[in-house]
Amino acid sequence: MRLATVVTFLTGCALILSSGSGGCGPGRGYGKRRPPTKLIPLAYKQFIPNVAEKTLGASGRYEGKITRNSERFKELTPNYSPDIIFKDEENTGADRMMTQRCKDKLNSLAIAVRNVWPGLRLRVTEGWDEDGHHSEESLHYEGRAVDITTSDRDRNKYGMLARLAVEAGFDWVYYESKAHIHCSVKSENSVAAKTGGCFPATAWVTLEDGGHRLMRDLRPGDRVLASTSGKHDDGGLLYSPVLTFLHRDPTTRKHFYIISTESGAQLSLTAVHLLFASDGPCNRTRASADLWTIFASEVQPGMCVVTSGQQPGGSVEPLRLSRVVGVRVWEGRGLFAPLTEHGTLVVNGVLTSCYALLEDHSLAHWAFGPLRTLLRWTGPDRHQASGLHWYSQALHWVGTQLLDSTHFHPWAGQI
């Protein structure tokens, strides 16, 4: 019986994912991807994200120099892309050696360069350094950093080249010199790069009686504050039942992004989790805003997110936009990803999606429809074991077979 149910549901999901990406979704504003934005060149000495290179919010800590004789040399792979020119002034092939993550991002950038400037190629002036030419603890020593230019060496293009590197998925990009752009990536073993989409144990939700409950104490069947997602509504508030957990692991330690807002709300969630955002101005209600979903790792100060506070007496305030004033990374305990009937929930006073990895909330909500239907028939899943839900695992596999990688967070392949 269970096997038949699984096969039926996965077949339905395959049909949904292959035909549903055209835009049918659960509600006004919720199914939208972030609208295309004009690519803005980086300014000289600007770096993105706006944190130090070797911090968790960027490329992470230095893990030690790699030499040709070291055990870790096997972590490096040569890059023979015809779209890239390697300066290789040492004539040893060292500039071609890099981690797989660095190689993937560099190859994506090379394609972007070719598309933006037909006839030009990406040029790598520095890659893996085995000779000690860089500063102490440089990521060049681990094959995790490259210095790049365009093949015509036109410095007027370097600001846009840096922006293209950001879009290609490098974890840290720095317009370091008038002569080159510096880019780096997280290590292959980075904990931050392998974090799924969840909230920490100490995150809290609002219950129907006005009280708060920590994620670690939340149970299927609890009704929590969420937002409507019907086709003709304005995204109002309601209390939606928790059906199951898409991921539940009370003991694991992971890295979380902390997003602080002007209203005082402070949300913690993993890099690949979705929340709702809008362009400014932020002094508007949710009903007047045009929302899209964004990964937590892409949130920047100045953006608007959707918040809801509580008035004296416990009544809930309507959803409003609030400006993001800070983003940082910390390590916390527990992984909790509750699935509600409506696919949304308000966590720490901020409206979030129940979904992660896939950039389109509407498509994710549609794809999880069979699971929600099953749980409506059987009742909330009150005896779920720790770990990733079987449906999430299966759906992720189906999605990666049917959808282009651009639909997913850059770290999705490492989850």
Side-chain angles (χ1 to χ4, degrees), residues 65-74:
K65 187 174 183 178
I66 295 177
T67 68
R68 291 184 186 269
N69 297 323
S70 68
E71 176 68 19
R72 292 181 59 209
F73 184 68
K74 64 184 180 183

